[in-house]
Amino acid sequence: MHNQDNTPVADELKNLSPDMFAPASESSIQDNEKIAAPSLSFIQDSWRRLKKNKAAVISLIILTIMIILTIAAPLVAPHDPNVQTVEFASLPPKIPGIGIDGLNGTQAVGDTRVDKYAEKGVPEDQYYILGTDSLGRDLLSRILYGTRVSLIIAFVAAFFDLTIGVTYGLVSGWCGGKIDNFMQRVLEILSGVPNLVVVILMLLVLDPGIMSIIIALAITGWISMARVVRAQTLKLKNQEYILAARTLGESSIKIAFKHLIPNLSGVIIIQTMFSIPSAIFFEAFLSFIGIGIPAPTASLGTLINDGYKTFRFLPHLMWYPAAVICILMISFNLLADGLRDAFDPKMKD
């Protein structure tokens, strides 16, 4: 039976001839087979996701600026951080052209504000943006140099995390069995010793300073990295591509560098980013209680320690270094959170 509704369509089909069609060109066929979206590597895809996290991007910009300023501290710092100008001691902040109280060189004395710069005879062309401490040293210069010291200690601690922690965790997780059991017992013993006790023991052998703090962090700071890497290695070593590599006769070292470490890179970077603010806080704590960086070398901890003694009269001496350490730690933590989401987007689910 014929369906009358399809009759016009059938008539049109009868009128079609092969001359009305042209074969598709090879270039058009290739264009149709192209993938619309560009292929991205793991790093490119992670960077694309990281850029969507505004807090992480802002933190990255802030950290980049601060690191550049601390590296260029000898060029950026307006004064020598250790030069004492006693006649200009305890000056409040003064920024040229700004008349806001607290930034114009005046200080409240009772119910009135006194121009401390005029009172102490400071030359008109000389000013201190963040003021001076009780010995007449420029606070801005000391913060720049102190931040550099704190960052050096933090990045060295991160280096030990990468070298000792990753190696220890890989060996422990890859070998397994009795070797893994023994290595984990060693970790438990080391983690049971507080960092503060290790630092005090280091002070009996070494002079107080950067080296003793670095050694203390090197002894116990890598433990969390080793545990995270071990756990991930135990998970990855039974994957098909690892078993295939072992079947083909590849050595354990080649498997570690070609397969394990690339797949662990996200976890390693995230853990490293979290270890940096911990090291900064640890150094500040040691310097604050007086067993860290010795005088006259500046660090964020020593600046806070000097500032809190005169907090009631000169609060800016503590507020500014405290603000810098807060910005550093918050920025590193926000960036680490953003990297964790970028490298492992399934973690949110």
Side-chain angles (χ1 to χ4, degrees):
M1 294 181 64
H2 249 274
N3 190 344
Q4 295 180 355
D5 295 337
N6 292 333
T7 301
V9 177
D11 293 339
E12 291 180 5
L13 291 175
K14 289 178 182 180
N15 295 328
L16 296 177
S17 64
D19 298 335
M20 301 175 64
F21 298 94
S25 62
E26 186 176 349
S27 60
S28 63
I29 294 174
Q30 291 177 354
D31 291 339
N32 291 332
E33 292 179 353
K34 285 182 179 179
I35 299 174
S39 59
L40 300 176
S41 64
F42 174 72
I43 298 298
Q44 290 173 334
D45 189 44
S46 300
W47 173 244
R48 179 182 60 83
R49 285 195 294 267
L50 180 65
K51 288 191 294 185
K52 295 180 180 179
N53 190 329
K54 294 182 180 179
V57 172
I58 293 173
S59 299
L60 179 61
I61 294 172
I62 292 173
L63 290 174
T64 303
I65 293 173
M66 295 184 75
I67 291 172
I68 292 174
L69 288 176
T70 54
I71 292 174
L75 302 175
V76 177
H79 302 277
D80 190 316
N82 297 325
V83 171
Q84 302 178 9
T85 310
V86 182
E87 59 270 22
F88 297 155
S90 303
L91 287 174
K94 181 179 181 180
I95 301 176
I98 295 181
I100 302 174
D101 291 342
L103 298 175
N104 58 0
T106 61
Q107 186 176 353
V109 179
D111 297 332
T112 60
R113 298 195 68 86
V114 179
D115 188 345
K116 286 291 182 178
Y117 283 73
E119 185 180 86
K120 295 193 175 185
V122 181
E124 290 291 333
D125 59 343
Q126 186 172 352
Y127 52 88
Y128 299 92
I129 295 177
L130 297 184
T132 60
D133 61 7
S134 58
L135 296 176
R137 297 173 295 190
D138 179 45
L139 183 60
L140 175 59
S141 301
R142 289 182 64 77
I143 287 178
L144 288 172
Y145 278 86
T147 306
R148 183 166 68 167
V149 170
S150 298
L151 287 175
I152 288 173
I153 294 174
F155 284 122
V156 171
F159 173 76
F160 280 112
D161 273 7
L162 288 173
T163 53
I164 303 176
V166 172
T167 304
Y168 196 96
L170 278 173
V171 173
S172 179
W174 181 257
C175 294
K178 293 182 179 180
I179 296 177
D180 179 40
N181 191 26
F182 172 77
M183 295 178 75
Q184 292 309 302
R185 300 295 80 76
V186 174
L187 280 186
E188 290 174 2
I189 294 172
L190 291 175
S191 61
V193 181
N195 285 344
L196 186 58
V197 175
V198 176
V199 173
I200 294 174
L201 293 176
M202 289 298 104
L203 295 179
L204 298 176
V205 181
L206 302 172
D207 294 330
I210 297 177
M211 186 58 64
S212 59
I213 296 176
I214 289 175
I215 292 176
L217 290 171
I219 292 175
T220 57
W222 52 269
I223 292 176
S224 58
M225 173 71 81
R227 285 177 170 166
V228 171
V229 172
R230 170 189 173 265
Q232 293 297 316
T233 303
L234 289 172
K235 179 181 177 182
L236 291 176
K237 74 175 185 178
N238 293 322
Q239 297 293 322
E240 289 81 359
Y241 60 92
I242 300 293
L243 297 176
R246 297 178 68 176
T247 305
L248 292 172
E250 284 200 9
S251 63
S252 299
I253 296 177
K254 284 187 177 180
I255 292 174
F257 280 99
K258 290 176 64 177
H259 301 293
L260 288 177
I261 292 180
N263 283 282
L264 291 171
S265 59
V267 176
I268 293 172
I269 293 173
I270 294 164
Q271 189 67 27
T272 302
M273 293 301 299
F274 278 117
S275 68
I276 292 175
S278 300
I280 292 174
F281 181 79
F282 183 64
E283 179 278 323
F285 167 72
L286 293 178
S287 299
F288 181 77
I289 63 177
I291 61 174
I293 306 298
T297 304
S299 74
L300 293 177
T302 57
L303 292 175
I304 295 174
N305 183 30
D306 294 339
Y308 97 99
K309 298 174 183 177
T310 57
F311 179 72
R312 292 180 59 188
F313 312 104
L314 301 168
H316 67 278
L317 294 180
M318 193 186 81
W319 279 126
Y320 291 124
V324 170
I325 193 171
C326 288
I327 292 172
L328 274 176
M329 296 189 67
I330 292 172
S331 298
F332 272 115
N333 281 300
L334 288 177
L335 180 58
D337 285 334
L339 289 173
R340 180 179 58 192
D341 296 337
F343 284 122
D344 191 4
K346 294 181 181 178
M347 191 171 291
K348 285 187 173 182
D349 299 337

